[in-house]
Amino acid sequence: MLAVAEKIRNMEIRGAARIARAAAEALENFAKNYDGTDFIGDLGLACRALYGTRPTAVSLWNAIHSIVHDLEGMENEEARAVVIKRAKEFTERSEMAVERIGEIGAKRIFDGCTILTHCNSSAALATIIRAHKDGKNIEVIATESRPKRQGYITARQLMSEGVRTTLIVDSAVRYFMKEVDLVFVGADAIASNGVVINKIGTSQIALCAHEARVPFYVCAESYKFSPKTLGGEYIKIEERDVKEVVDPADVGNARIRNPVFDATPPEYIDGIITEYGIISPYAAYEIIIHQFGQKIMFEKEWWL
Ligand code: RI2
């Protein structure tokens, strides 16, 4: 459990969907291998260890919540069986959602178009790869995505699928926007007011796309929507070790900041592609209510 938490923290396991599935799998294994006497108490500690790793990714909260909600009053054995079953269900649901998003999103990608993507989103890539497999002749411009350069992963994935890909530095986005027909990005979290939190730099790309009248789509499974924002909570933006950016000694020990996500307002988003279909960002509220109802706002997690 702690080994998985550490891999999520140090980004060996990364991407909002992958970390959620890794957490689900870790909880499943924890329940399978548990040989102590206080399963629910120890499960709570495990959930907290996983949840504390990436503060922005609401997919982690949603994965944990969907697996460990309402366990109170259960005996150890019953609770273990429930956790194992729900963890498997979450993983299946997550994989199916990405596939469905691919199917839906690919319909918005037309033959001959150039798509710009940022960072490395499995949901965004599912749509692009699906369009390519459907026989559409497409090209991708992938941003490098400093500081961790997840754009390299994107470029490798797309090239291995046979999608023509050009890698650019993040600051070249406006220069290339005139060649772009569509922007497809992923999401780490979506607030109830339609604000999308994604890799740092996403909001600048949305601004450029808006200026150039290029449609901007977010590909996001329903577990990227944050129920807690409904009750007034903000989404915390993770700031990581500044050494990911540069060695402080190389810049005369100047102050360095490393926020890894930013917020794109709904007015710059043409649609959010979910497994339920393409929705307006202003429909985020309905997606949250559809999944959780309103009582989620006031619920206190037993494991937090
Ligand atoms: P999928 C990633 O975060 C990127 O910001 C990406 O857009 C987002 O998760 C969603 O990825 P990080 O873990 O869930 O690289 O679509 O910080 O794969």
Side-chain angles (χ1 to χ4, degrees):
M1 171 64 60
L2 291 178
V4 175
E6 186 45 36
K7 282 185 184 173
I8 296 175
R9 189 188 311 279
N10 69 24
M11 292 180 71
E12 207 174 305
I13 300 174
R14 55 145 297 281
R18 272 188 73 217
I19 61 179
R21 286 199 292 267
E25 202 186 320
L27 291 176
E28 186 185 335
N29 289 333
F30 178 81
K32 276 183 185 158
N33 302 326
Y34 188 74
D35 59 3
T37 53
D38 178 16
F39 175 67
I40 295 195
D42 291 338
L43 180 69
L45 296 176
C47 292
R48 281 209 294 282
L50 289 166
Y51 183 59
T53 53
R54 300 287 312 270
T56 304
V58 72
S59 56
L60 257 184
W61 185 93
N62 275 326
I64 296 170
H65 174 82
S66 77
I67 295 165
V68 308
H69 67 91
D70 298 326
L71 294 180
E72 297 91 331
M74 286 188 197
E75 296 297 332
N76 277 1
E77 284 315 296
E78 187 190 1
R80 281 177 66 190
V82 167
V83 166
I84 293 167
K85 180 170 169 287
R86 288 182 184 164
K88 283 198 180 107
E89 283 167 1
F90 179 85
T91 305
E92 279 168 23
R93 183 187 143 205
S94 164
E95 284 163 355
M96 276 176 58
V98 174
E99 204 181 312
R100 195 95 184 90
I101 288 169
E103 271 171 44
I104 297 167
K107 293 188 193 151
R108 288 286 159 113
I109 297 175
F110 55 90
D111 197 35
C113 85
T114 298
I115 303 149
L116 185 136
T117 190
H118 185 51
C119 195
N120 178 255
S121 156
S122 51
L125 290 193
T127 63
I128 295 169
I129 291 168
R130 178 64 194 252
H132 171 73
K133 286 189 171 154
D134 287 347
K136 292 174 188 166
N137 175 26
I138 56 173
E139 252 186 83
V140 172
I141 296 180
T143 56
E144 181 185 35
S145 311
R146 280 274 292 151
K148 295 283 276 184
R149 298 185 169 93
Q150 291 96 323
Y152 293 7
I153 309 171
T154 295
R156 283 196 297 269
Q157 281 179 343
L158 290 172
M159 291 301 288
S160 75
E161 293 286 345
V163 180
R164 253 174 307 145
T165 305
T166 304
L167 186 92
I168 62 170
V169 294
D170 302 334
S171 43
V173 164
R174 191 162 183 252
Y175 180 87
F176 283 104
M177 193 53 82
K178 57 187 173 302
E179 297 175 22
V180 173
D181 300 298
L182 293 167
V183 177
F184 273 71
V185 296
D188 291 84
I190 301 174
S192 60
N193 61 357
V195 167
V196 168
I197 311 293
N198 192 47
K199 184 55 54 191
I200 192 79
T202 302
S203 66
Q204 289 181 174
I205 296 173
L207 199 60
C208 279
H210 184 75
E211 178 200 43
R213 308 280 189 273
V214 172
F216 182 97
Y217 287 101
V218 175
C219 303
E221 307 89 304
S222 55
Y223 54 83
K224 307 276 178 67
F225 290 74
S226 165
K228 293 293 169 187
T229 55
L230 207 60
E233 282 184 25
Y234 284 111
I235 295 168
K236 189 168 186 295
I237 300 288
E238 178 184 1
E239 287 218 24
R240 294 182 61 86
D241 190 339
V242 297
K243 293 207 182 83
E244 288 181 355
V245 177
V246 63
D247 183 340
D250 289 348
V251 289
N253 288 316
R255 185 176 180 217
I256 303 161
R257 299 274 309 269
N258 185 21
V260 296
F261 301 108
D262 65 19
T264 300
E267 57 267 32
Y268 296 149
I269 299 168
D270 291 277
I272 303 181
I273 305 168
T274 76
E275 69 269 33
Y276 299 125
I278 303 185
I279 61 158
S280 153
Y282 298 106
Y285 170 83
E286 270 118 291
I287 291 280
I288 295 169
I289 294 293
H290 173 73
Q291 294 191 90
F292 300 99
Q294 275 192 330
K295 70 179 176 41
I296 193 79
M297 282 193 272
F298 309 109
E299 264 177 27
K300 270 202 109 24
E301 275 58 57
W302 66 267
W303 47 277
L304 274 179

